[in-house]
Amino acid sequence: MIDKRNFFYASDLAQLYNISKQTLIFYDKKDLFKPDYVDSNGYRMYSLKQFFILGIILDLKTMGFHLNDIKNFLEHRTPDDTLSLLNKQLHKLTKQIELTSKLCDNIKSKINTINVYNDCKLNEITLSYREEEYFLVSEDILLSLPQKERF
């Protein structure tokens, strides 16, 4: 018989991390985070060490890691692996930020175009007076020639 005072029930652990009990059950089914002890009545119980491991899992999840990556990380934790994992995620997020920024610029451009042409009345013809304009047609002008000869 174990001393239950040294364990967290699933509902208590879930409440401490503001997650659902179903999340813990899901992590258990995915072999990501199994309880240290399951009571005869089926209650899942977690140790203090697991309290901290769940914090790591939730932090990595918040950073955008997939559950498979988190599971792999927990099974092979070294400082070098941690740095590699974080750098890889930072690179991925930086690319996403660049893409999102380009998409935002594209949307802003479309909004600006719509706003510019929104005032146009496409079903009306408008006549207006314009000053006379002239333009010159000439043969190619060599820019290498002195200015006096160009004119």
Side-chain angles (χ1 to χ4, degrees):
M1 186 81 179
I2 65 157
D3 185 0
K4 293 180 183 179
R5 293 177 295 178
N6 295 327
F7 288 86
F8 297 94
Y9 285 102
S11 57
D12 296 330
L13 188 59
Q15 186 177 12
L16 287 169
Y17 276 108
N18 198 26
I19 60 173
S20 72
K21 186 176 158 187
Q22 294 305 316
T23 299
L24 293 175
I25 293 170
F26 178 75
Y27 288 169
D28 184 7
K29 288 179 182 176
K30 292 289 187 181
D31 290 328
L32 175 65
F33 187 68
K34 295 204 157 285
D36 257 357
Y37 180 75
V38 178
D39 205 350
S40 60
N41 56 11
Y43 289 126
R44 292 171 162 80
M45 303 178 83
Y46 300 88
S47 68
L48 181 60
K49 177 182 175 185
Q50 288 183 293
F51 171 82
F52 294 108
I53 292 173
L54 181 59
I56 292 169
I57 291 169
L58 295 175
D59 282 347
L60 292 173
K61 187 83 176 93
T62 301
M63 290 180 213
F65 289 97
H66 295 286
L67 293 181
N68 289 336
D69 294 333
I70 295 171
K71 181 179 179 183
N72 188 43
F73 168 75
L74 291 174
E75 292 170 354
H76 308 95
R77 272 188 291 185
T78 67
D80 288 339
D81 287 343
T82 304
L83 283 174
S84 174
L85 186 72
L86 293 174
N87 279 321
K88 182 178 162 185
Q89 187 68 2
L90 180 62
H91 180 72
K92 178 183 168 186
L93 293 173
T94 301
K95 289 283 187 189
Q96 286 177 348
I97 289 169
E98 290 171 4
L99 176 61
T100 303
S101 179
K102 287 178 183 177
L103 290 173
C104 287
D105 289 345
N106 190 2
I107 290 170
K108 287 176 186 175
S109 173
K110 301 268 187 239
I111 289 170
N112 188 39
T113 301
I114 290 169
N115 285 333
V116 166
Y117 292 106
N118 198 26
D119 293 335
C120 291
K121 296 177 178 142
L122 299 177
N123 59 349
E124 294 180 14
I125 297 175
T126 304
L127 299 175
S128 61
Y129 175 78
R130 295 193 52 133
E131 290 293 325
E132 196 173 5
E133 294 180 16
Y134 298 96
F135 68 95
L136 273 179
V137 177
S138 72
E139 299 199 16
D140 290 340
I141 299 173
L142 297 175
L143 297 176
S144 60
L145 294 174
Q147 188 174 12
K148 189 174 183 179
E149 291 180 31
R150 279 188 261 161
F151 290 103

